[in-house]
Amino acid sequence: MADFEDRRDYRGGGRGGPFNKRKRYREDDDRDHPSRNQRPRYSAPPPGTQLRKGLLEIGEDTLRMPHEVAIQLARLLVDNYDDEYVKDVFTITTMKLVVEQPVKIPFVAAVVLFAHMEKKEAAQDIVSTAAEWFDEYINKGQWRSAKLMLRFLACLSRLFEQDGVFPILDELFNRAVDLQTASPEDAVGLELVKIILLTIPYLLAYAEDTTLPEKAVALLEKTDIVASAAHPVEALVDPYPGTAEGAERPMVCASVISLLQRQLQEEAATGWALALLPRIFDPSLKSKIPNGDETNGNTNGDSNTKLTFPSIIVPSPINPGSKTLFPELFFSLFADQEIESVPPTSNIASTLLRDATVDTINLLDFNRIATAKVLNELDNFFAPNIFVKRSTTFDKLRDIPAGSTTWKPEDVTIDAVFSQIFALPAPEHRLVYYHSLITESCKISPGAIAPTLGRAIRFLFRGLDAMDAELGYRYMDWFAHHLSNFEFRWKWTEWIPDLVLPALDPKKSFIVGLLDKEIRLSFAKRIRETLPEPYFDLIPASKEKDIPDFKFADDATPFAEEGREIIYHLKKKASEEEIQKVIDTVHEKAAAQGLDAEEAQKRSTDIYVTSILSIGSKSLSHVLSTIDRCKERLLALGPQSEPSRRQIISSVFDFWSEHPGIAVNIVDKLLNYTIVTPMSVIEWTLKDNIDRGRALASPHYFELVSITMFKVTNRVHQLLQHRNNTTVPFEQRLQINDALPRERQGMRDLFAAIEDAVAGVAAGAQDEMIERFDGEDAESEYIKAWGARWARVWRRKAAVEEQIANEGLAIEMVEPAAVPLPMGEADEGLGEEMDQIE
């Protein structure tokens, strides 16, 4: 009805209608729409909306000084503090910013400090809320959020009458000592010490108490005991373990906690300069801002009024939290090089920048575009003149005068993102999230990010020989994904000299695997067009064939006639009886040729599976629908014999021999259908097709073993999660608890099978290796190195899974007490049960 009445003359049917005979004039339009010629009126958003928007954007506007923005937001808060909505908006937004965008913590703290100058209650309410949130986080074992809330309180230290957060730091250290004393392998105690060390710089940078430096030095003397001790797992999470004794490492990745300890001790010796952190709050600045007179509020009364630090009790024993913790090493692409494009590891700025940036990355995972924007503006959130101007080329860093920093914000950002891609034992989020951050950063600032990425790619490629094998494959996955977003453009000519390397060399293996992944993301002909001619041998014409040939179409292939019959029956969706007749014929012919029953079964399995793959070769959805239709027969093949189950995998890889990535995806689906088992995949890869150890250099074999083990370990994780979920019925939890030992033993058996296979290769004790190699041989050394790299990866994964399982099973299962019903309800229920018995 509203649409109808909005016409200029709805009574006449609108302009041009049969009843619209009167000529219309401009005055008619003005009369129908009296507001047409009026200037639109602007109404300012309500104070709560302004405050929220201002807090969310604080520090991002380069045209306004941070203290100006902080003062104006503080004044807006004070002027409207009687409005409950304004108070709630400010409190919630402040708390959320602290635990979601850590780079803005000093800016938000400055707003609170300026507000305190005019209204003590505003600061008191925020401090009380922050203490409540911190108390909740530490009781739940949410260590990162607790660390950030403690940092926020440290930035407000000048408000407090006494030591403020220092007693909390002492209590955290006492809990860390208790945990370390109980078990030297404990990682929660290390996390507590790391929180202490990361809080000290903010505390000393923003506090007024002149006795705090002395207390900090005393605390550092105590933390040195924990920080300097090497954790047993550190050696397993080192990104650059090296390939041989004395091999040069691209970078020595020190423990973050030991690095922090040394940096803080050095900072203490130089007077706690802490030049990186922005000093936004200054009481003298308030009177210099327009409209910044001190007539509003009761400034004189509150500016010198200190707050009582809220009572916070650190629990004992400490709650370890739901996340399994591991020692953290400082991984960097650019640190400690001749030209400092990022802070050196000797400078406290390196860990403070990394910590704030990485936390922002992992906390804003729900919006990659917003995260990339914050990362692109990273220099806004730290002290001025710390970074060089954005997009400054690397060559121009040499021209910067001595005494000035040469840190590039783009390098710091990319360094932080790659530290998460290469985090061991596992990144916090799925790797594709970090991939997308780099892609979005390139879109926002291509001229600045692209050269930095180029240097990162070259640095990683040079260190492939010494890099952890799992990280080498992560590097490959990221690079292929990244190139697919930018038309597969790269300076491939730089790697032409590496094409003559042996196939077992890590660099040559990386190039071959990278091109294969690019083909999976596009198609062979397209990738071939992006490469220089020397690469053409790596992409033969056979890879350009999207659909492989059906080998039984050739009469020279054994059992070709039966193969064609099987695929004909499958296409026509014939009955199982007709298919079985053909399979019986295969078995009869095989017996006539002198083949045993097991070999005959493998031949018929190969024919059947190859026919399914040929029918479904158009796409993954086609092959899945065909497998689903033939699932019953495929499931029956496994129990007949283990070789038949492994023959299914062989048929998949033989059919897709030119595109092994597709074969890996299909085997992944067969695992989901339980047509093949995890053990059959491991044995097929590392027993049937080890090829004297050469298979360990093939990226698709590592991918196949990885996805298989992920399914197994994830199954154990899910059972542990349900076992410890108090919302699940207790009887069901008991059943899960009974099933866990069996599932865990199955996982251990798989890890043991991998360990047995690759350890033999690493030692040169694999049977086929002993027969082939005699004395020193270059190929033998390559293969042994691959065996050692695989062994290290799977030993780490086994150790991680053992720790996760041990922590999960350590949680005691207690049956919840029955809640007694009121007398009336109890009687009513009893009557219903008696009625049912009758």
Side-chain angles (χ1 to χ4, degrees), residues 331-379:
F331 176 86
S332 177
L333 303 171
F334 308 119
D336 299 333
Q337 298 182 8
E338 181 182 358
I339 299 178
E340 295 181 357
S341 63
V342 299
T345 54
S346 59
N347 194 319
I348 187 67
S350 61
T351 47
L352 293 183
L353 270 172
R354 173 64 62 79
D355 179 70
T357 308
V358 165
D359 283 348
T360 301
I361 290 171
N362 287 325
L363 289 166
L364 289 180
D365 62 293
F366 52 84
N367 191 333
R368 69 181 189 278
I369 297 176
T371 309
K373 181 177 181 296
V374 173
L375 295 179
N376 188 60
E377 300 170 349
L378 185 67
D379 52 336

Side-chain angles (χ1 to χ4, degrees), residues 2-190:
D3 293 339
F4 181 77
E5 293 178 351
D6 193 49
R7 299 172 183 172
R8 293 187 173 179
D9 190 356
Y10 61 88
R11 293 170 298 174
R15 179 174 295 181
F19 303 105
N20 190 14
K21 304 298 184 182
R22 184 174 68 86
K23 186 175 181 179
R24 300 184 61 84
Y25 297 94
R26 185 175 61 187
E27 295 79 28
D28 296 330
D29 288 343
D30 292 341
R31 182 173 60 254
D32 291 342
H33 299 274
S35 62
R36 181 181 298 276
N37 294 326
Q38 294 182 5
R39 180 176 298 175
R41 297 178 179 177
Y42 172 77
S43 57
T49 303
Q50 294 183 53
L51 196 58
R52 181 179 182 276
K53 185 174 185 295
L55 284 172
L56 293 176
E57 297 177 353
I58 193 168
E60 298 178 3
D61 190 354
T62 57
L63 301 179
R64 301 176 63 191
M65 297 298 292
H67 62 269
E68 294 181 8
V69 178
I71 289 172
Q72 292 180 5
L73 290 175
R75 180 170 295 110
L76 183 63
L77 171 66
V78 170
D79 291 344
N80 299 275
Y81 203 71
D82 293 336
D83 188 335
E84 289 296 327
Y85 175 74
V86 171
K87 187 188 302 184
D88 292 343
V89 165
F90 179 75
T91 302
I92 296 300
T93 307
T94 298
M95 296 297 104
K96 288 293 186 181
L97 272 176
V98 168
V99 295
E100 289 184 3
Q101 298 189 42
V103 291
K104 296 182 178 180
I105 289 178
F107 295 80
V108 178
V111 176
V112 177
L113 291 172
F114 280 120
H116 174 261
M117 295 180 66
E118 297 191 16
K119 199 172 192 64
K120 175 183 176 181
E121 291 80 3
Q124 182 67 68
D125 292 343
I126 284 294
V127 168
S128 299
T129 305
E132 292 174 3
W133 284 44
F134 173 77
D135 191 63
E136 180 180 357
Y137 291 141
I138 199 169
N139 278 284
K140 291 182 177 180
Q142 298 177 0
W143 300 116
R144 180 171 54 201
S145 297
K147 173 189 68 178
L148 298 177
M149 200 58 66
L150 189 62
R151 179 178 305 171
F152 176 61
L153 291 170
C155 291
L156 299 176
S157 291
R158 63 172 58 233
L159 294 180
F160 306 126
E161 294 176 346
Q162 300 170 348
D163 295 337
V165 302
F166 238 104
I168 298 178
L169 301 184
D170 287 330
E171 285 297 316
L172 290 176
F173 177 74
N174 293 335
R175 302 297 180 272
V177 170
D178 293 340
L179 293 169
Q180 288 288 297
T181 303
S183 172
E185 298 183 359
D186 173 74
V188 178
L190 296 182

Side-chain angles (χ1 to χ4, degrees), residues 723-735:
R723 173 193 181 274
N724 299 325
N725 186 357
T726 55
T727 62
V728 176
F730 188 74
E731 293 76 11
Q732 187 175 345
R733 293 173 62 196
L734 288 176
Q735 295 175 1

Side-chain angles (χ1 to χ4, degrees), residues 566-581:
I566 290 288
I567 196 172
Y568 172 79
H569 288 316
L570 288 175
K571 287 181 178 179
K572 297 299 182 182
K573 299 183 180 180
S575 64
E576 286 296 317
E577 289 76 11
E578 294 181 79
I579 294 175
Q580 186 60 46
K581 290 179 182 179

